[in-house]
């Protein structure tokens, strides 16, 4: 039963990775852009949360609300000012642009929010739930719940609502969707804003375990990308599955393998896994149109 | 006349939908063979199965290879008739056997000159090692020079030799189509597959195309397999035609026979443009 | 007589290899100027790093420009080259040449392994796989103290080459020679059979395959060359600076190298050199000297980042495209579509 404790802890980090990965996959499916700046945009709005909280003494929920506003505006701005104007650029060109955005946000954050590292407190500072041999802090429980509820909510929206239908239609074929009268531009705008908020949530959830610096989202970004690789880029739920798997595997590798090299061994394992299942866990083989 | 290509019981389906269903036909040496069918009949899919861009679910694609060519690649034939089965072989190996194709939406390299585009067609024949190419050793340079001359011949043959040093990207559609054809000639092909060579050409260009296709056969002594919507071109240039509909075999015969075939008429009903 | 001479000279000037040699000769004047105190030693150092990054960026240009593949592992492989060079020279005491060779070969082998695994499915996996390798290498640089001395930093010395005890100015000349050789090598690659295969692959993977180009092999080739150049750049960096710290080899160096390629112009050798100058030297020599603005933290990042975005959006051919346009505007030409004009058309389409 000593497995329960690390498993629960994995669920917490898994939720963080899952939210970030969902943002990446939303953007990928709607704009066909590999969103390398997901982590740094999350870092930016997450730092905004910490900044407001530390400077004004506003409560956490209000700061997070402010962070969400920043994230939405950021997502809108990036899609409106850059991504949608790249229709003629190659796929690689778009990827390079998101790499350029990393640098922009990385440079902007210290200018706007100062160079001193900041702290972000837990949403629920103290308290544990006891589950037999294992303990779980209220805050961890909250993070797990947020991850699961947000991911599940997103799936419901995608499957049951008109907006979700528009997103899925755009994801499956952008030009057909446009011909059918779906406002694909609004859909991608929405996807970028949602990705921004998801990144911000991931940042706020992971921040209490570290300090808020321009690089604090790096691990999340890498893990989220690998979650997409592991889960496959063809479905929305694949990356979420991948995120939780990565978190669990990482925790156990760190515990029973090497505490220093756990993540790195895991990434290598995933790369090797690609040799066996090139399209990820739930990926279908995809056919190039000739 | 000996056969160069034999397609046997070819089947492939996408998501449970049969795109090609138990199709068989064969192309003779130096024959101009047409594959026709209404839109969505699976013609291009057949091409993609032959050239291994798609892996067929069932069936085989037998291709007759010159013994010297096989010997040069240190390979053996798969059957007693000296043929090899293309199914399952890597896409990039197909051209080695003398089978080369063009694409529906002209795939040329805009950033390279016309002559460099044609040289790509000779890719598999370059023998100089990577290192000698990187260091521009005499052998690599001699080889480059020889193939450049060969490429110029192909361009001249198709009447676009005077454009050789211009970039392919800025050229009009007709030139790009000719360029793609010139590229197929570099590989000393036994069979050239043309995917809708007349699409996008005007009437006089199409007339010229029929003559060009016959010229290619005469000069390069190869067979030609083409998919085409322009019935005028197909009927005037092809020796034999295979008609398919919904991936299934419909009829086979000379242009005159195909024009008389009731099944073909039925399949084309409603497609007034084509008949 | 003089007219045939000048015609021959003009023809020679059009030869790219001659141009590279002239550039090299001009650059070799810089250490002399520095020895005479005409340019500052710090400026010479900055320019040395520009040339090192130019070498690395030319490798990435083979990958990004010619093959359309992204690597985020440049910094990791460059760092690996640097640490290997230091380890072989200072710990194993095997001398400059063995150190250089090891710094070229080992990163390349690792690069090929990464490529074999990641390039099979989708090109974009290379970016993710190299991002991961970069993280692993960075962690190695921090943790493997026997090899790198960890965060304390690895200190090294100027190498002894052919019995000569070198110094910073001498090393600058070595870098110039390496740069000229790399430019020639790159030129040979892209203007021959190999370059055509890379072009074909980027332009249309299906057409390339139909023409017999083994796409995986050429992707691997391009990636291996990019790693090789990065390893060389790393070794030169170490011999020039005589130290290496893990923090130098983070993701942002990789992104900066991408910026050099993009800003200079994809598929241009001189453009890449210009890109390296803009991305590395301009923040170092110009931005830092500006009043007020110069003190802003993170300014070089924003500078590179915005340049990347703006160039991709508005000037996809980078500095090279701009130079072509200027040259085209200045030289009168017959109305037919010439090669340069077509380049401009492509660029503006």
């Amino acid at each position: 039963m000593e497995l329960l404790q690390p498993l629960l802890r994995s669920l917490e980090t898994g939720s963080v990775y899952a939210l970030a990965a969902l943002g990446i996959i939303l953007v990928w499916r709607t704009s066909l852009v590999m969103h390398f700046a997901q982590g740094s945009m999350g870092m930016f709005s997450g730092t905004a949360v910490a900044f407001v909280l530390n400077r004004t003494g506003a409560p956490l929920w209000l700061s997070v609300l402010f962070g969400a506003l920043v994230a939405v505006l950021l997502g809108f701005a990036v899609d409106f000012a850059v991504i949608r104007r790249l229709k003629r650029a190659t796929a690689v060109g778009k990827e390079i642009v998101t790499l350029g955005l990393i640098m922009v946000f990385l440079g902007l954050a210290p200018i706007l929010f100062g160079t001193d590292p900041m702290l972000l407190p837990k949403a629920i500072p103290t308290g544990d739930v006891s589950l037999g041999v294992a303990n779980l802090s209220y805050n961890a429980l909250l993070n797990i719940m947020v991850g699961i509820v947000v991911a599940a909510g997103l799936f419901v929206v995608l499957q049951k609502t008109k907006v979700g239908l528009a997103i899925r239609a755009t994801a499956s074929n952008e030009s057909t969707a446009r011909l059918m009268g779906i406002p694909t531009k609004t859909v991608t705008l929405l996807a970028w804003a949602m990705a921004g908020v998801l990144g911000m949530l991931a940042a706020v959830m992971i921040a209490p375990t570290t300090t808020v610096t321009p690089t604090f989202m790096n691990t999340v970004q890498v893990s989220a990308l690998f979650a997409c690789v592991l889960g496959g880029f063809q479905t929305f739920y694949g990356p979420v599955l991948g995120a939780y798997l990565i978190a669990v595997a990482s925790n156990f590798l760190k515990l029973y393998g090497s505490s220093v090299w756990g993540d790195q061994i895991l990434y290598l394992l995933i790369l090797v896994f690609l040799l066996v299942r090139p399209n990820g866990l739930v990926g279908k083989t995809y056919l190039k149109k000739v | 006349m000996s056969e160069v290509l034999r397609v046997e019981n070819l089947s492939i389906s996408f998501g449970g939908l049969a795109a090609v269903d138990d199709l068989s036909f064969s192309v003779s040496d130096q024959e101009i063979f047409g594959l026709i069918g209404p839109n969505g009949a699976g013609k291009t899919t057949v091409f993609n199965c032959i050239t291994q861009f798609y892996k067929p679910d069932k069936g085989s694609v037998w291709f007759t290879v010159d013994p010297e060519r096989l010997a040069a690649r240190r390979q053996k034939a798969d059957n007693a008739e000296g043929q090899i089965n293309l199914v399952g072989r890597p896409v990039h190996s197909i051209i080695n056997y003398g089978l080369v194709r063009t694409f529906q939406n002209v795939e040329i390299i805009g950033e390279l000159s016309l002559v460099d585009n044609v040289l790509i067609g000779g890719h598999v024949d370059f023998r100089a090692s990577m290192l000698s190419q990187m260091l521009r050793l005499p052998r690599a340079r001699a080889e480059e020079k020889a193939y450049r001359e060969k490429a110029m011949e192909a361009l001249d043959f198709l009447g676009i030799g005077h454009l050789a040093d211009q970039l392919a990207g800025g050229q009009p559609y007709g030139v790009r189509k000719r360029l793609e054809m010139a590229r197929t000639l570099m590989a000393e092909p036994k069979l050239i597959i043309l995917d809708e060579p007349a699409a996008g050409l005007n009437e006089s260009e199409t007339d010229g195309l029929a003559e060009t296709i016959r010229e290619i056969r005469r000069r390069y002594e190869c067979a030609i397999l083409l998919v085409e919507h322009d019935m005028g071109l197909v009927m005037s240039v092809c020796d034999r035609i295979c008609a398919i509909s919904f991936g299934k075999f419909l009829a086979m015969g000379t242009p005159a026979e195909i024009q008389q075939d009731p099944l073909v008429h039925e399949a084309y009903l409603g497609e007034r443009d084509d008949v | 007589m003089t007219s045939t001479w000048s015609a021959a000279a003009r023809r020679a000037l059009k030869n790219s290899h001659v141009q590279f040699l002239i550039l090299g000769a001009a650059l070799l004047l810089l250490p002399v100027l520095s020895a005479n105190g005409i340019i500052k030693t710090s400026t010479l150092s900055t320019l040395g790093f520009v040339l090192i990054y130019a070498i690395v960026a030319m490798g990435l240009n083979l990958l990004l420009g010619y093959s359309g593949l992204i690597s985020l592992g440049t910094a990791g492989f460059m760092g690996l080259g640097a640490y290997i060079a230091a380890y072989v020279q200072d710990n194993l005491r095997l001398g400059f040449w063995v150190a250089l060779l090891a710094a070229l070969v080992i990163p390349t082998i690792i690069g090929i392994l990464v490529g074999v695994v990641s390039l099979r499915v989708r090109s974009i996996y290379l970016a993710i796989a190299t991002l991961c390798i970069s993280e692993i290498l960075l962690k190695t640089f921090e943790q493997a103290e026997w090899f790198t001395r960890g965060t304390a930093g690895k200190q090294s010395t100027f190498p002894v080459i052919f019995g000569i005890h070198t110094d910073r100015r001498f090393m600058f000349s070595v870098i110039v020679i390496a740069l000229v050789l790399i430019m020639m090598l790159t030129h040979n690659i892209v203007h021959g059979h190999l370059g055509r295969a890379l072009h074909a692959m980027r332009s249309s993977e299906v057409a390339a395959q139909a023409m017999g180009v083994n796409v995986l092999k050429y992707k691997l080739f391009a990636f291996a060359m990019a790693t090789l150049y990065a390893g060389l750049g790393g070794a030169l960096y170490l011999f020039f600076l005589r130290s290496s710290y893990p923090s130098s080899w983070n993701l942002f160096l990789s992104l900066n190298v991408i910026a050099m390629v993009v800003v200079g112009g994809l598929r241009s050798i001189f453009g890449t050199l210009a890109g390296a100058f803009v991305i590395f030297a301009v923040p170092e020599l110009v931005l830092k000297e500006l009043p007020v603005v110069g003190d802003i933290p993170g300014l070089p990042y924003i500078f590179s980042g915005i340049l990347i975005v703006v160039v991709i959006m508005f000037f996809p051919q980078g500095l090279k495209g701009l130079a072509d346009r200027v040259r085209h505007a200045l030289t009168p030409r017959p109305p037919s579509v010439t090669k340069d004009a077509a380049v401009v058309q492509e660029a503006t389409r």
Side-chain angles (χ1 to χ4, degrees):
Chain A
M1 266 296 98
E2 65 208 84
L3 294 181
L4 190 62
Q5 187 73 48
L7 195 67
L8 288 171
R9 213 178 308 134
S10 313
L11 285 181
E12 189 186 359
T13 41
S15 289
V16 175
Y17 298 164
L19 293 185
L22 266 174
I24 292 176
I25 203 72
L26 266 172
V27 166
W28 168 259
R29 300 295 306 277
T30 52
S31 309
L32 278 182
V33 175
M34 187 65 68
H35 191 4
F36 286 109
Q38 168 75 350
S40 35
M41 284 173 74
M43 175 279 292
F44 187 87
S45 39
T47 312
V49 173
F51 181 77
V52 169
L53 189 111
N54 287 330
R55 284 298 169 86
T56 65
L60 184 65
W61 65 268
L62 195 61
S63 310
V64 170
L65 220 54
F66 174 77
L69 186 69
V70 171
V72 167
L73 292 178
L74 222 55
F76 281 171
V78 166
D79 183 44
F80 185 78
V82 183
I83 300 298
R84 73 166 53 171
R85 289 169 210 278
L86 285 171
K87 279 278 181 272
R88 282 181 309 169
T90 58
V92 180
K94 292 175 187 170
E95 252 92 62
I96 297 173
V97 163
T98 67
L99 292 172
L101 289 175
I102 297 182
M103 303 182 93
V104 174
F105 290 118
L106 191 93
L108 271 181
I111 294 179
L112 294 177
F113 307 122
T115 42
D116 299 329
M118 285 181 283
L119 294 174
L120 201 61
K122 292 177 180 174
I124 307 170
T126 52
D128 284 337
V129 201
S130 178
L131 296 158
V133 284
N135 280 326
L136 190 65
S137 71
Y138 283 125
N139 193 62
L141 189 65
L142 176 72
N143 282 344
I144 295 172
M145 294 309 289
V146 168
I148 292 172
V149 167
V150 170
L154 201 63
F155 290 136
V156 171
V157 169
L158 283 171
Q159 294 299 333
K160 305 282 178 196
T161 66
K162 234 179 145 181
V163 179
L165 184 68
I167 292 179
R168 281 185 294 134
T170 310
S172 98
N173 190 330
E174 201 254 319
S175 48
T176 312
R178 200 174 49 236
L179 287 174
M180 309 252 287
I182 290 168
T184 54
K185 278 190 174 173
T186 317
V187 168
T188 45
L189 204 62
L190 203 64
W192 279 87
M194 282 160 88
V197 174
L198 290 167
M200 184 276 302
L201 279 178
V204 171
M205 280 155 68
I206 201 80
T209 64
T210 168
T211 50
V212 179
T213 61
T215 52
F216 87 101
M217 285 290 280
N218 283 8
T219 316
V220 175
Q221 171 74 31
V222 176
S223 300
L225 278 174
F226 268 88
C228 295
V229 171
L230 183 62
F233 283 89
Q234 287 98 334
T235 62
F236 286 105
Y237 68 91
V240 173
L241 189 67
Y244 283 105
L245 277 176
I246 284 181
V248 171
S250 154
N251 246 322
F252 279 91
L253 272 172
K254 279 180 186 159
L255 209 59
Y256 298 105
S258 154
S259 59
V260 179
W261 298 97
D263 280 342
Q264 279 64 31
I265 296 170
L266 179 62
Y267 297 150
L268 284 181
L269 286 178
I270 295 173
L271 287 181
V272 174
F273 170 80
L274 276 184
L275 288 175
V276 192
R277 261 193 88 85
N279 289 294
L281 282 173
V282 286
K284 305 157 215 148
T285 43
Y286 89 124
L287 199 67
K288 278 182 205 158
K289 186 113 176 74
V290 178
Chain B
M1 210 179 261
S2 62
E3 75 183 3
V4 58
L5 175 79
R6 188 171 77 247
V7 173
E8 262 178 13
N9 310 104
L10 193 70
S11 298
I12 188 170
S13 54
F14 300 118
L17 212 71
V20 178
D21 193 358
D22 203 30
L23 183 70
S24 303
F25 66 90
S26 70
V27 180
S28 303
D29 199 18
Q30 298 193 36
E31 181 180 33
I32 300 180
F33 190 97
L35 188 64
I36 63 166
N39 278 331
K43 301 176 299 273
T44 296
T45 309
V46 173
F47 278 12
N48 285 334
C49 286
I50 294 174
T51 48
Q52 297 308 306
F53 278 99
Y54 297 164
K55 303 296 167 203
D57 300 333
K58 250 180 26 207
S60 28
V61 177
W62 296 99
F63 192 75
T64 312
V65 190
D66 299 334
E68 312 88 75
R69 217 192 273 252
L70 275 182
R73 318 259 174 226
R74 291 200 195 85
Q75 289 189 352
K76 281 195 187 124
D78 291 339
N79 68 10
E81 296 151 76
Q83 296 175 313
I84 57 158
N85 188 356
L86 296 181
V87 172
R89 289 175 193 267
V91 185
H92 62 81
S93 74
I94 301 301
I95 194 174
N96 280 317
Y97 306 112
L99 172 57
V100 58
R101 66 174 289 180
T102 65
F103 292 88
Q104 230 173 60
N105 36 351
V106 195
E107 307 268 8
I108 55 167
I109 306 152
E111 295 87 349
L112 288 184
S113 69
L114 265 64
V115 65
D116 278 327
N117 264 285
V118 177
L119 276 165
I120 294 281
H123 175 84
V124 289
D125 293 323
F126 277 78
R127 287 284 159 271
S129 69
M130 273 193 178
L131 195 66
S132 77
Q133 290 170 36
M134 283 192 238
L135 303 179
R136 283 230 166 155
L137 298 182
R139 180 166 178 202
R141 279 154 79 166
E143 193 175 52
E144 176 88 13
K145 192 161 171 273
Y147 281 110
R148 200 160 276 271
E149 278 164 21
K150 193 174 167 191
M152 279 307 301
E153 271 174 44
L155 281 173
D156 283 331
F157 176 65
L158 283 167
I160 46 175
H162 59 289
L163 303 170
D165 290 325
Q166 298 195 4
L167 288 187
Q171 302 299 332
Y173 198 64
V175 174
R176 290 150 71 112
K177 288 222 120 171
R178 281 177 172 265
L179 174 60
E180 211 190 13
M181 261 191 234
R183 189 171 64 184
T184 63
L185 300 178
M186 284 295 283
E188 282 164 24
K190 287 270 295 180
L191 173 67
I192 302 177
I193 293 184
L194 300 176
D195 200 349
E196 303 206 8
L201 298 186
N202 62 33
E203 228 167 281
S204 72
E205 283 173 326
T206 308
D207 289 344
L209 180 66
E211 195 42 49
T212 308
I213 291 175
R214 282 189 214 103
E215 275 289 320
I216 289 177
R217 162 170 64 179
R218 200 171 310 146
R219 168 102 171 244
Y220 289 86
E221 297 177 348
C222 58
I224 289 164
L225 169 58
L226 64 128
V227 155
E228 186 48 68
H229 275 292
D230 187 305
M231 283 301 139
L233 178 73
V234 173
M235 295 301 165
S236 79
V237 80
C238 290
D239 301 318
R240 280 192 306 153
I241 294 170
C242 173
I244 62 173
S245 176
F246 294 109
K248 280 199 169 82
F249 179 87
L250 215 56
M252 164 101 83
T254 63
E257 288 164 0
I258 290 294
Q259 276 170 321
Q260 301 302 321
D261 195 291
L263 281 174
V264 177
H265 274 262
E266 197 182 316
Y268 270 100
L269 262 177
E271 287 213 17
R272 267 166 298 156
D273 290 351
D274 288 329
V275 176
Chain C
M1 248 346 241
T2 42
S3 68
T4 48
W5 268 106
S6 70
R10 223 174 301 141
R11 213 170 325 125
L13 279 179
K14 284 211 168 149
N15 181 310
S16 301
H17 285 210
V18 174
Q19 292 174 357
F20 299 151
L21 286 171
I22 293 173
L23 175 81
L27 287 173
L28 284 177
L29 289 177
L30 291 173
V32 180
L33 293 181
S34 152
N36 290 320
I38 297 172
I39 58 172
K40 280 191 283 185
T41 318
S42 65
T43 310
L44 188 76
S45 296
T46 304
L47 291 178
F49 287 116
V50 167
L51 302 187
I52 289 170
Y53 290 128
I55 290 174
V56 177
M58 278 173 206
L60 191 73
N61 205 348
L62 279 176
L63 189 72
L64 186 60
Y66 286 88
S67 322
L69 296 169
I70 299 180
S71 164
L72 295 173
T74 317
F77 289 118
M78 203 177 157
L80 188 61
Y83 282 118
I84 290 173
Y87 188 76
V88 174
Q89 181 188 254
D90 302 318
N91 297 52
L92 304 181
R93 306 206 167 277
L94 290 173
F96 172 77
W97 293 106
V98 179
L100 187 65
L101 193 70
L104 292 180
V105 172
I106 297 171
T108 310
I109 291 173
I110 295 177
I112 289 175
L113 286 178
V114 176
V116 166
V117 174
S118 61
L119 282 171
R120 281 164 188 272
V121 202
R122 216 179 258 186
S123 298
I124 194 66
Y125 281 12
L126 181 70
I128 299 173
T130 47
L131 180 65
C132 151
I133 290 299
S134 215
E135 294 274 306
I136 294 176
L137 286 173
L138 194 57
K139 193 121 190 187
T140 313
F141 301 155
E142 285 166 3
Q143 301 288 336
E145 300 218 342
W146 59 272
F147 174 44
T148 64
R149 297 186 43 87
T151 45
K154 181 97 178 163
Q155 306 301 320
S156 182
T157 52
F158 286 123
V160 179
I161 306 174
F162 296 131
I164 303 167
H165 289 267
T166 59
D167 59 8
R168 169 101 9 138
R169 289 192 192 103
F170 192 99
M171 273 316 294
F172 186 91
S173 312
V174 173
I175 293 168
V176 170
I177 292 166
L179 175 75
V180 171
L181 290 176
I182 283 293
M183 288 173 104
M184 288 176 167
L185 179 67
T186 312
H187 183 269
N188 286 352
I189 290 172
V190 301
H191 284 94
H193 178 60
L194 294 168
R196 273 195 304 270
L198 296 180
H199 265 297
M201 185 171 88
R202 185 200 67 252
S203 162
S204 160
E205 217 166 273
V206 287
Q209 284 177 309
M211 292 303 128
V213 177
N214 182 341
V215 170
L216 182 62
K217 177 177 151 191
Y218 281 88
K219 282 180 180 172
L220 268 180
F221 166 74
F223 184 51
M225 291 312 284
T227 344
L228 184 85
Y229 286 25
L232 172 64
L236 291 173
Y237 175 101
L238 181 97
F239 291 136
F240 193 55
L241 187 67
R242 287 174 300 157
S243 64
S244 168
Y245 296 85
S247 57
S248 314
W249 311 115
N250 60 22
L251 177 67
F252 303 103
L253 175 59
S254 300
L255 295 180
N256 255 336
V257 177
I258 290 177
M260 292 171 193
V261 174
V262 169
V263 170
L266 296 171
R267 302 185 287 284
S268 162
I269 293 175
F270 280 115
T272 305
L273 184 60
F277 185 83
V278 169
I279 295 297
F280 185 75
V282 168
E284 198 75 10
L285 297 179
V286 182
L287 293 187
K288 271 190 186 166
E289 305 299 322
L290 295 177
V292 188
V293 188
D295 298 330
I296 295 178
L299 191 65
Y301 289 151
I302 298 184
F303 178 72
S304 300
I306 288 182
L307 268 182
I308 290 182
V309 175
V310 166
V311 167
I312 296 270
M313 284 177 77
F314 303 111
F315 311 98
Q317 306 279 317
L319 290 171
K320 192 238 176 205
L322 285 183
D324 282 346
R325 256 190 263 188
V326 169
R327 208 183 319 142
H328 182 68
L330 293 181
T331 47
R333 273 165 205 277
S336 72
V337 183
T338 61
K339 210 167 173 171
D340 282 356
V343 168
V344 175
Q345 278 183 353
E346 279 286 304
T348 49
R349 254 202 329 204

